[in-house]
Amino acid sequence: MRTNKTLNRFSLSKELPLLPGYILVTIWVVFTLIMVGWVCLASLSTTKSIFSGNILGDGIHFESYKHAFLDNNLGAYTLNSIIYTSVSITGMLLIAAPASYMLARFKFRGNKFIQGMFVVAMGIPSIMVILPLFSLAAQLGVLNSRITLIIVYIFTGIPFTLFFLHTFFSNLSRSFEESAAIDGCGPIKTFWVIMLPLASPGIITVTIFNFIGIWNEFFMALIFANHSSLRPLAVGVYATMKSFLYAGDWPGMFTGVVVIFIPTLILYILLSKKIIAGVTGGAVKG
Amino acid sequence: MKSSKLMFVVFLGPALLSYLIIYVYPVLRTALMSFFYVQNITDNSSEWKFVKLDNYINLLTDNQLFMQSLKNIGYIYFWGLLGVMFFALLFAVILNSGVRFKEFFRSVLYLPNIVAAVAMGTMWVQYVFNSQYGLLRSIFNFFGLTGLAEFAWTDDTHLLLSMTIAYSFGCIGYFMLIYMAAMDKVPSDYYEAATIEGAGIFNKFFRITLPLIRNVFRTTLVLWSTGCIGFFAWSLMFSNINWNIRTVTPMVYMYNIVFQDAIGMDPSQKNAGAGAAVGMILTILAVAVFTIINFVVKEDDVEY
């Protein structure tokens, strides 16, 4: 921040010491962009052109997309991903936002303890919870169903969502609630009508994070929805990867990769400022 | 503000209930299960066979595959952490040094974090490390480094190294953001004073920045440890879709002995109780690491 103002005019004596930094960061950035860009091109290419090193040598081909969506279930996987993601991020908000509000705004015995509980939960690895959840789902006869995976997603997303929103609720002014109370608005209505909209910057950011997290999630989906009609994109593409490799269909494989990352990439391009600001919102102490 | 009982139940009830279902019950049951032989994960608890510490003893004494998985994750943990911290700090310093296009650079560096592990893993294995048309091969050939261009990244012997590089590459942007945020909090007059006194960039970094952001390294270690415990998708992507002893991690091992009869895995090894013990061992290791960190790096309030 401190150098922003001096930046506007180019001066060699100021820029020259920064040169090694520029070079290093530029190499890194170009490498990343080539990696992502090449995969996009490869999905529009043919196996022959990919191996000849002259990508798009045979022109642009959309066959692999057609093939992936029509013959390889990619459309169904995409739809599943959309269902899992949209329902889960909504569910997380519905449960975590009121709880977060309560913990941030009200004094009661055990408040600090409950907050501590949710902090600890963020450090509990999935390997410690997955086995009993799986056998519980099996006993209830709800293995391989969309609802089970969605519930697992919602519940495991609550600690993070709750914590992220906590800061936003704590920073709101008391006067909103006081004037609402004077006007005869009950606390529950006050929350939904007044406080929740006021915290919307936080809600939008945490929802973006939850979206990216669930869209990219792999392990839980592999265990709870490992059936061809239930798979989300990440697991679906993983499951078809073998057949792509076996058939030597490289464009098909890269098409799968592109379809997985395009939605999060577009979201990132549009909202990178908000996302980057949110990354360090909760993680940094001191 | 005071709260009514009804509001407490309505607002906090669902979250607390979810906590019981998804954390308290499973963690306790996993801990319990680690002392039993459980052939199938779906077995009723009446079919469990109490074996005392046998699961732990078997895992830690004569189980080559599990020991290899611990070694692998130890390798990723140590070398990956060194690399990530080095580059993340370096990039944080560079981007905070007043370069142009700071926001653009920052966005691209963080970019790998928003891409699914399955997608990133495929990009690395099938493109960057590819021995025929790979990106690294092209780069080294371009600079005439044919020796390096021929390096077999996806050979069995180099697979773990390649996987560590690919995984760490993506994490660098994330940790860089954390370091940058911590560095932003250091008052700029410290640097101005140091500049007046004639301190160079290295002196400023080692004498001002590093000591003042030291608390953030604890965050780094916690986040890195959590990531390593859950190391799963990358391992699958780097082992030609099946498991491979070179890249097997504890999570992959657990997955194989609990959820599937993998090729090459002795079916008699199927034991959900041992899977639970794997989880317990990882958790104990993580807690031990945190305790040591807390002991070595005392949390003190850095006051500006």
Side-chain angles (χ1 to χ4, degrees):
Chain A
M1 296 301 132
R2 59 185 178 277
T3 39
N4 266 354
K5 279 201 186 102
T6 53
L7 261 180
N8 297 328
R9 219 178 318 121
F10 184 86
S11 95
L12 197 62
S13 62
K14 231 168 226 153
E15 302 277 336
L16 208 56
L18 302 175
L19 195 62
Y22 273 120
I23 293 173
L24 201 68
V25 176
T26 307
I27 290 173
W28 201 272
V29 163
V30 168
F31 182 88
T32 311
L33 293 180
I34 289 181
M35 190 159 100
V36 175
W38 186 90
V39 171
C40 293
L41 292 182
S43 71
L44 298 168
S45 180
T46 59
T47 301
K48 209 180 103 218
S49 320
I50 291 174
F51 275 88
S52 71
N54 180 16
I55 197 133
L56 299 187
D58 292 338
I60 294 178
H61 295 258
F62 288 98
E63 280 89 343
S64 60
Y65 282 87
K66 225 167 96 189
H67 180 62
F69 278 94
L70 293 181
D71 313 326
N72 272 326
N73 266 339
L74 222 63
Y77 299 152
T78 311
L79 189 67
N80 283 335
S81 275
I82 293 171
I83 295 172
Y84 294 140
T85 310
S86 54
V87 179
S88 302
I89 57 181
T90 316
M92 283 176 201
L93 268 187
L94 286 179
I95 299 180
S100 178
Y101 172 72
M102 189 85 186
L103 291 170
R105 309 290 287 184
F106 292 90
K107 282 198 183 106
F108 54 88
R109 260 177 62 197
N111 186 325
K112 278 265 154 348
F113 177 76
I114 295 173
Q115 289 187 33
M117 267 169 45
F118 284 104
V119 173
V120 169
M122 286 192 280
I124 296 176
S126 55
I127 193 171
M128 283 301 285
V129 299
I130 199 85
L131 305 181
L133 290 177
F134 187 85
S135 56
L136 187 67
Q139 274 159 30
L140 297 173
V142 290
L143 267 186
N144 280 329
S145 86
R146 287 202 177 83
I147 282 293
T148 311
L149 183 61
I150 286 172
I151 290 175
V152 170
Y153 278 157
I154 292 177
F155 284 9
T156 47
I158 286 173
F160 172 72
T161 313
L162 191 152
F163 250 82
F164 201 93
L165 293 178
H166 192 272
T167 334
F168 287 84
F169 283 125
S170 330
N171 290 338
L172 295 177
S173 162
R174 284 254 174 264
S175 57
F176 293 112
E177 283 140 322
E178 282 157 9
S179 35
I182 291 167
D183 289 343
C185 186
I188 294 175
K189 196 178 165 198
T190 305
F191 169 71
W192 289 109
V193 180
I194 299 167
M195 303 309 276
L196 196 63
L198 285 171
S200 54
I203 287 172
I204 292 167
T205 310
V206 81
T207 302
I208 298 168
F209 278 103
N210 286 336
F211 175 91
I212 294 173
I214 307 263
W215 188 271
N216 292 343
E217 206 284 330
F218 180 73
F219 183 64
M220 299 287 192
L222 184 69
I223 283 169
F224 287 105
N226 201 1
H227 183 275
S228 65
S229 65
L230 299 173
R231 286 176 187 140
L233 266 173
V235 178
V237 170
Y238 168 73
T240 37
M241 198 81 78
K242 230 183 209 165
S243 65
F244 285 135
L245 289 173
Y246 189 71
D249 182 6
W250 262 256
M253 181 178 63
F254 290 122
T255 299
V257 171
V258 171
V259 174
I260 296 179
F261 76 65
I262 278 295
T264 54
L265 185 68
I266 290 172
L267 197 70
Y268 186 62
I269 291 170
L270 295 176
L271 299 165
S272 67
K273 237 184 198 159
K274 215 168 172 51
I275 293 174
I276 282 179
V279 171
T280 47
V284 182
K285 280 195 306 175
Chain B
M1 223 183 291
K2 283 265 162 61
S3 65
S4 69
K5 274 213 177 86
L6 173 73
M7 197 180 164
F8 186 88
V9 172
V10 174
F11 275 47
L12 216 47
L16 289 176
L17 188 69
S18 82
Y19 193 89
L20 285 178
I21 297 171
I22 212 97
Y23 294 111
V24 177
Y25 163 77
V27 167
L28 293 178
R29 197 168 155 108
T30 302
L32 186 71
M33 200 165 150
S34 68
F35 300 105
F36 287 82
Y37 171 75
V38 184
Q39 197 186 6
N40 282 308
I41 171 76
T42 49
D43 283 351
N44 224 309
S45 49
S46 56
E47 296 165 72
W48 295 8
K49 211 171 95 213
F50 184 61
V51 292
K52 286 181 281 191
L53 288 171
D54 278 8
N55 287 331
Y56 293 89
I57 294 165
N58 289 339
L59 282 171
L60 294 170
T61 53
D62 58 16
N63 191 321
Q64 243 197 327
L65 196 52
F66 178 68
M67 290 316 282
Q68 188 59 45
S69 79
L70 278 185
K71 273 184 210 155
N72 288 348
I73 206 66
Y75 178 95
I76 297 164
Y77 189 94
F78 182 76
W79 294 109
L81 184 62
L82 275 188
V84 167
M85 278 179 65
F86 176 78
F87 280 106
L89 272 172
L90 184 66
F91 287 138
V93 170
I94 291 174
L95 293 194
N96 268 351
S97 68
V99 291
R100 285 151 190 269
F101 319 115
K102 175 179 168 180
E103 284 182 4
F104 169 73
F105 286 142
R106 199 173 56 174
S107 310
V108 180
L109 279 160
Y110 183 71
L111 175 77
N113 288 282
I114 57 117
V115 179
V118 173
M120 281 307 288
T122 312
M123 283 189 217
W124 278 92
V125 180
Q126 304 299 343
Y127 173 49
V128 179
F129 287 140
N130 187 284
S131 58
Q132 288 164 65
Y133 54 82
L135 178 57
L136 287 176
R137 186 187 155 88
S138 312
I139 292 171
F140 289 132
N141 269 333
F142 181 80
F143 289 105
L145 302 162
T146 38
L148 274 172
E150 299 302 319
F151 191 82
W153 294 99
T154 49
D155 244 22
D156 259 3
T157 41
H158 304 131
L159 216 46
L160 187 59
L161 169 72
S162 308
M163 183 168 77
T164 308
I165 292 174
Y167 172 71
S168 308
F169 175 87
C171 300
I172 287 168
Y174 178 44
F175 288 102
M176 176 196 74
L177 288 187
I178 295 174
Y179 296 150
M180 279 172 80
M183 286 175 188
D184 277 345
K185 288 189 182 162
V186 178
S188 55
D189 35 327
Y190 285 27
Y191 294 104
E192 280 153 22
T195 313
I196 292 164
E197 299 290 327
I201 186 160
F202 287 100
N203 258 325
K204 278 190 248 177
F205 176 72
F206 285 107
R207 304 246 170 118
I208 301 174
T209 313
L210 218 47
L212 286 179
I213 65 164
R214 64 179 177 274
N215 277 346
V216 92
F217 293 116
R218 293 153 49 87
T219 317
T220 309
L221 286 165
V222 172
L223 292 170
W224 186 255
S225 307
T226 323
C228 279
I229 290 178
F231 202 96
F232 184 76
W234 282 91
S235 171
L236 294 190
M237 301 319 296
F238 270 79
S239 50
N240 290 320
I241 313 302
N242 290 315
W243 69 272
N244 179 330
I245 189 153
R246 305 283 180 180
T247 58
V248 69
T249 59
M251 271 288 263
V252 176
Y253 176 78
M254 184 280 293
Y255 178 69
N256 280 302
I257 59 168
V258 176
F259 292 103
Q260 60 172 196
D261 306 290
I263 310 144
M265 177 79 75
D266 184 359
S268 68
Q269 279 199 9
K270 216 177 166 202
N271 177 3
V278 171
M280 290 294 287
I281 292 171
L282 288 182
T283 306
I284 292 164
L285 281 176
V287 171
V289 169
F290 297 151
T291 316
I292 294 168
I293 294 163
N294 272 331
F295 199 72
V296 177
V297 196
K298 286 246 169 9
E299 179 163 32
D300 39 13
D301 290 323
V302 182
E303 302 246 356
Y304 305 128

